[in-house]
Amino acid sequence: MITLLYFAGLKEKTGLEKEQIQFSGHQVKELVEFVQNKYENFSNSAVLVAVNEEYALPEDVLQVGDTVAFIPPVSGG
Amino acid sequence: MITLLYFAGLKEKTGLEKEQIQFSGHQVKELVEFVQNKYENFSNSAVLVAVNEEYALPEDVLQVGDTVAFIPPVSGG
Amino acid sequence: MKLFEITTAEIDPEKYRKAVLHASAGAVTVFTGHVREWTNGIQTVFLAYEAYIPMAEKKLAEIGDEIQEKWPHTKVAIAHRIGDLEISDIAVVIAVSSPHRKIAYEANEYAIERIKEIVPIWKKEIWENGQEWIGDQKQKPIIGGE
Amino acid sequence: MKLFEITTAEIDPEKYRKAVLHASAGAVTVFTGHVREWTNGIQTVFLAYEAYIPMAEKKLAEIGDEIQEKWPHTKVAIAHRIGDLEISDIAVVIAVSSPHRKIAYEANEYAIERIKEIVPIWKKEIWENGQEWIGDQKQKPIIGGE
């Protein structure tokens, strides 16, 4: 299982803060495609992905136990 | 009469914070020459002059009642 | 105290200034970002900030490391508040000490720029008749959005 | 409170931050200059500051005016302490608020540079075995010294 975290606008679109799915062995970009299909209008703008609290690349491969966060454009400060 | 004010190192050299002298009608640069003759080693470095709390030019003419401050290089901050 | 933190409490800037002060620090800059009432002619009622807390604190600490690498002899503390903030509340504080002043300014400004680039914190503006999550468009996409 | 002052009291930076804060201020920078223990390898025991008080306050206010002219919508407060100061004591505080952050940094740094140029304040360094009035050599002479 991997854990998915949604923040800010994405949390409102999915209606979820967190969910767990089977997705280990796949690439980050495949996961993004998966959630984009699962949730209508998932991202209107660029979304970054963090795996275990570090920004990940589209080709990174997911492991069992990973925590994946979908990070819409940040606006702190 | 005009009032002369000495600060920082100049106060130590003259041994005075303040004195009053007759000098109206003369230029600032003449006053500087006067105090340099009066006090040995008056200025080892550049000294500015303020008349009534504003920086003055060497050619400015002193008026009765003026307050003249001798301002060694500043070092605030 | 934590030098790099996400907090729900009101921010006291003096706490962070004191955290970076030491006998060789001649200059300290403390930047505070405040909730502004008017942005581009639109009146804000309040702001809501949200963060991915553990990652955000890690990224704030990374910014501190970057600064100490670029400008040795500096010391840095950063805090960002989350939750509902009202006009003039402090959203972020950045304290940087340095032996000399020029670097204290430069490093502090670097920190706020980096916060706006890499730290997972989001701001929602709430107006009289609506609300919106703000994205500053600085982030480079690594996955296709749209 | 006075926005531009010479004081013998300990400086509380928050007082000056609050003085420049208002509903349109999105960014505040507060610079504090502290007494440093080591300068060029020489250990300072304490510093003594002296000022030509009325002229110094006038010049600080002039710097505030210069800033508001160069950067409209800023608000500025500056205080400089005089008397005997110990290691880490605050000698000077500069608070600048602005709608946007870039100007808050720029204007604040401008203020400290101008203080070091035009404000009649002098610093004496006292070491274990001596003391000296410090001149920063920035001042242009209008009368011959030497």
Side-chain angles (χ1 to χ4, degrees), chain C residues 13-14 17 21 23-28 30-34 36-37 99-102 105 108-109 112-113 116, chain D residues 13-14 17 21 23-34 36-37 99-102 105 108-109 112-113 116:
Chain C
E14 276 307 288
R17 171 191 311 284
L21 196 58
S24 305
V28 181
V30 177
F31 171 88
T32 45
H34 298 259
R36 209 172 45 220
E37 185 168 13
H100 300 285
R101 67 187 182 280
K102 195 140 201 73
Y105 286 106
N108 197 307
E109 193 169 3
I112 184 69
E113 299 301 330
K116 288 172 177 284
Chain D
E14 276 307 288
R17 171 189 313 283
L21 197 58
S24 304
V28 181
T29 49
V30 176
F31 171 87
T32 44
H34 297 258
R36 211 173 42 222
E37 185 167 14
H100 300 286
R101 66 188 182 280
K102 195 141 201 73
Y105 286 106
N108 198 306
E109 193 169 4
I112 184 68
E113 299 300 332
K116 288 173 177 283

Side-chain angles (χ1 to χ4, degrees), chain C:
Chain C
M1 65 171 276
K2 280 165 90 171
L3 291 181
F4 302 95
E5 65 178 340
I6 302 296
T7 176
T8 55
E10 205 173 308
I11 286 176
D12 169 20
E14 276 307 288
K15 191 176 137 194
Y16 301 91
R17 171 191 311 284
K18 284 171 185 158
V20 300
L21 196 58
H22 54 89
S24 305
V28 181
T29 49
V30 177
F31 171 88
T32 45
H34 298 259
V35 178
R36 209 172 45 220
E37 185 168 13
W38 295 92
T39 299
N40 304 325
I42 297 168
Q43 187 174 17
T44 296
V45 178
F46 68 96
L47 292 185
Y49 280 96
E50 180 180 320
Y52 181 13
I53 298 175
M55 181 170 168
E57 292 190 337
K58 210 186 258 188
K59 289 289 156 190
L60 291 178
E62 255 180 58
I63 293 171
D65 291 344
E66 288 174 18
I67 287 173
Q68 285 195 298
E69 194 157 319
K70 286 170 83 85
W71 296 283
H73 312 300
T74 51
K75 192 168 176 190
V76 185
I78 307 176
H80 202 299
R81 188 172 165 193
I82 54 173
D84 291 351
L85 274 71
E86 298 182 352
I87 307 300
S88 286
D89 277 354
I90 298 173
V92 59
V93 61
I94 303 166
V96 178
S97 70
S98 162
H100 300 285
R101 67 187 182 280
K102 195 140 201 73
I103 284 169
Y105 286 106
E106 210 175 331
N108 197 307
E109 193 169 3
Y110 176 85
I112 184 69
E113 299 301 330
R114 290 295 280 158
I115 288 170
K116 288 172 177 284
E117 283 168 5
I118 66 165
V119 182
I121 301 174
W122 302 272
K123 169 167 72 177
K124 184 191 242 178
E125 292 190 351
I126 294 93
W127 319 297
E128 274 304 343
N129 55 0
Q131 54 179 54
E132 190 182 27
W133 285 104
I134 307 301
D136 74 352
Q137 323 309 352
K138 271 205 162 180
Q139 216 167 22
K140 287 196 208 80
I142 67 162
I143 62 172
E146 206 46 53

Side-chain angles (χ1 to χ4, degrees), chain B residues 7-43:
Chain B
F7 292 99
L10 297 181
K11 183 165 66 184
E12 293 177 358
K13 278 172 189 158
T14 61
L16 289 173
E17 278 192 29
K18 169 197 288 220
E19 65 180 324
Q20 294 199 306
I21 64 168
Q22 301 277 12
F23 217 83
S24 52
H26 293 275
Q27 291 182 324
V28 164
K29 65 182 173 193
E30 294 172 304
L31 175 63
V32 171
E33 224 170 282
F34 173 79
V35 296
Q36 280 179 327
N37 287 328
K38 186 169 177 190
Y39 300 104
E40 220 179 326
N41 299 320
F42 180 72
S43 58

Side-chain angles (χ1 to χ4, degrees), chain A residues 20-59:
Chain A
Q20 293 199 308
I21 64 169
Q22 302 275 13
F23 217 83
S24 51
H26 293 275
Q27 292 182 322
V28 164
K29 65 183 175 193
E30 294 172 304
L31 175 62
V32 170
E33 223 170 283
F34 172 79
V35 296
Q36 280 179 327
N37 287 329
K38 185 169 179 192
Y39 300 104
E40 220 178 324
N41 300 319
F42 180 72
S43 59
N44 297 312
S45 61
V47 169
L48 295 180
V49 171
V51 176
N52 303 329
E53 303 172 9
E54 277 302 336
Y55 289 110
L57 295 172
E59 292 73 27

